[in-house]
Amino acid sequence: MPPRKGRVVAVIPARGGSKGVPGKNVARVGGVPLVSRAVAAARAAHGIDDVYVSTDDAPIAEAALAAGARIVDRPADIAGDLASSEDALLHALDVIGAEGPPVGVLVFLQATSPFIDADALGRAVARVAQGDEDAVFSAYETHGFLWRLTPQGAEGVNHDKSFRPRRQDREAQFQESGAFYVMDAAGFREARHRFFGRVGLEQVDAIAGLEIDDPHELEAARALAPLLDSHGIGPIDALVMDFDGVHTDDLAEVHQDGSEAVTVSRSDGMGLAMLRDAGLPMLILSKERNPVVEARGRKLGIETVYGADDKVNILRQWSEHRGFSLSKVAYVGNDVNDVESMASVGWPVTVPDAHPAARAVARVHLTRPGGRGALRELAEMILTTREGA
């Protein structure tokens, strides 16, 4: 087959109104909304020219735009429970085609797959763009024994139940991961479904086959994200930190007169001094009313706000006043009163002993405890990123 002509365009259908997991497409995994993770995978894959998100939902559109996608407004008549992904893709092709050059290859990604392999996606794009196949989808190898229920009881689907060959003696089969499908755009328009002509599969790891359709799968994805995502931090414009549990180990020594003392790390102090010398704006933002917070901030030469009951609004006002986009701000927190602030920034960071709610929204998971080198670890991450920029 000859190479395809025209643009390679990725489309991510992501409607609002999910019932199994309300707000599913903007639910955070690894600190990033699901739709944003899909956009990032498409932008990282070799060979994709443009990325679009087809949606009827304002929060999804906002997250997609922030991640670098363009928006296709999805009509209500193809945004309900009965509408198919094919309906959204065909509509998106009409809109995109009217705006620019013809689309030669259509890439369909699903936001409900949080661990899309960008390298595998790039290989699939190349196979269709070069004309090797008309459609390529992601799949993972399985040697599992499948069964079905009948009125007579369970019976084997892909095996003889009287014979149990070893795994290495069984023929490999492949299960769709659901993460991506790459198609010749003209062939898709004609067939109106994703499998047509010569179909190939791009093999991915089984873990990439996780799809989120219920709350348990969402929690499983959040637990896996610290293991599967990259452990660095992207370029940031500012760093905001909670105090207790971040600058300290979350313990306090209470004296007989009621005064308190906390333990901090000189190593953390050196790391923050390096960030200060590098010109990174920083803020300590704490609900704690103890003057020790202000004293520590003064010692470090870092702006400090303490006794803050509404941390997220102070964070937003501080960032807006200085002209920072929250998407380029890192916030380090460890407890439930940090969750809203962490969820509002592009780089939520947490420490190993953080509350599960804080860990669930974190994008960067530090290995050193608060008050015991966590901020030094983060400072070195940030400095490495800035040196490589």
Side-chain angles (χ1 to χ4, degrees):
M1 288 183 279
R4 317 291 178 187
K5 295 181 180 179
R7 285 186 295 163
V8 178
V9 170
V11 176
I12 304 163
R15 65 183 182 88
S18 170
K19 292 182 173 60
V21 182
K24 175 172 63 177
N25 285 311
V26 288
R28 287 177 176 256
V29 169
V32 182
L34 281 171
V35 69
S36 304
R37 293 179 70 96
V39 171
R43 296 186 69 196
H46 182 73
I48 295 178
D49 298 314
D50 298 294
V51 182
Y52 291 81
V53 170
S54 168
T55 188
D56 62 329
D57 184 82
I60 292 174
E62 182 181 357
L65 284 168
R70 301 167 70 178
I71 303 301
V72 172
D73 293 322
R74 188 165 171 177
D77 62 339
I78 58 168
D81 293 342
L82 300 180
S84 69
S85 296
E86 278 78 1
D87 291 333
L89 294 170
L90 289 165
H91 170 262
L93 279 176
D94 289 341
V95 173
I96 295 165
E99 291 178 348
V103 177
V105 176
L106 172 64
V107 181
F108 163 33
L109 293 90
Q110 299 203 102
T112 49
S113 294
F115 304 115
I116 297 173
D117 184 334
D119 291 336
L121 176 57
R123 291 192 296 271
V125 167
R127 290 166 64 177
V128 175
Q130 292 165 7
D132 298 335
E133 285 122 340
D134 296 297
V136 175
F137 65 97
S138 60
Y140 56 91
E141 184 176 338
T142 176
H143 292 263
F145 292 114
L146 300 181
W147 293 78
R148 60 170 165 253
L149 292 175
T150 74
Q152 291 74 41
E155 62 179 34
V157 173
N158 62 346
H159 66 286
D160 179 350
K161 62 185 178 183
S162 65
F163 177 58
R164 306 292 288 183
R166 298 176 304 168
R167 184 182 189 279
Q168 59 266 38
D169 296 329
R170 300 197 300 270
E171 180 184 359
Q173 296 179 322
F174 295 87
Q175 181 170 330
E176 284 181 54
S177 79
F180 62 77
Y181 305 81
V182 183
M183 300 163 279
D184 168 55
F188 172 70
R189 279 188 178 278
E190 182 178 354
R192 303 183 74 83
H193 63 82
R194 66 193 78 172
F195 301 113
F196 56 88
R198 180 176 174 82
V199 177
L201 65 84
E202 183 65 38
Q203 191 169 343
V204 298
D205 291 336
I207 198 64
L210 176 65
E211 289 188 89
I212 297 175
D213 290 312
D214 63 44
H216 300 294
E217 289 163 341
L218 177 60
E219 291 309 311
R222 286 172 169 167
L224 285 168
L227 303 175
L228 300 179
D229 289 350
S230 63
H231 298 290
I233 189 167
I236 63 169
D237 292 336
L239 171 63
V240 180
M241 300 158 281
D242 183 31
F243 188 73
D244 288 331
V246 174
H247 281 262
T248 77
D249 57 8
D250 217 15
L251 300 175
E253 182 180 292
V254 182
H255 300 153
Q256 189 173 11
D257 62 1
S259 62
E260 295 183 0
V262 297
T263 300
V264 295
S265 164
R266 291 191 183 279
S267 175
D268 284 347
M270 177 60 73
L272 294 172
M274 291 190 293
L275 291 179
R276 188 189 61 228
D277 292 344
L280 183 72
M282 291 181 283
L283 172 69
I284 297 173
L285 179 57
S286 176
K287 189 174 182 178
E288 176 60 53
R289 285 175 163 77
N290 194 317
V292 71
V293 182
E294 183 181 33
R296 180 59 176 166
R298 188 167 55 249
K299 170 83 171 180
L300 295 171
I302 297 174
E303 185 179 355
T304 304
V305 176
Y306 69 109
D309 291 321
D310 191 354
K311 296 174 74 171
V312 70
N313 277 331
I314 294 172
L315 166 63
R316 286 171 176 158
Q317 292 167 11
W318 183 82
S319 300
E320 183 178 349
H321 179 70
R322 286 154 183 78
F324 302 138
S325 167
L326 286 174
S327 66
K328 298 294 288 294
V329 173
Y331 182 101
V332 193
N334 76 307
D335 216 330
V336 292
N337 64 336
D338 295 309
V339 170
E340 189 177 3
S341 296
M342 292 172 68
S344 70
V345 302
W347 290 94
V349 183
T350 198
V351 292
D353 58 349
H355 188 279
R359 291 188 62 78
V361 298
R363 188 172 182 177
V364 177
H365 295 256
L366 301 173
T367 62
R368 300 295 302 278
R372 294 288 186 272
L375 293 174
R376 177 60 175 267
E377 180 184 353
L378 178 60
E380 291 178 352
M381 274 189 205
I382 294 170
L383 289 168
T384 299
T385 301
R386 289 167 76 90
E387 290 165 0

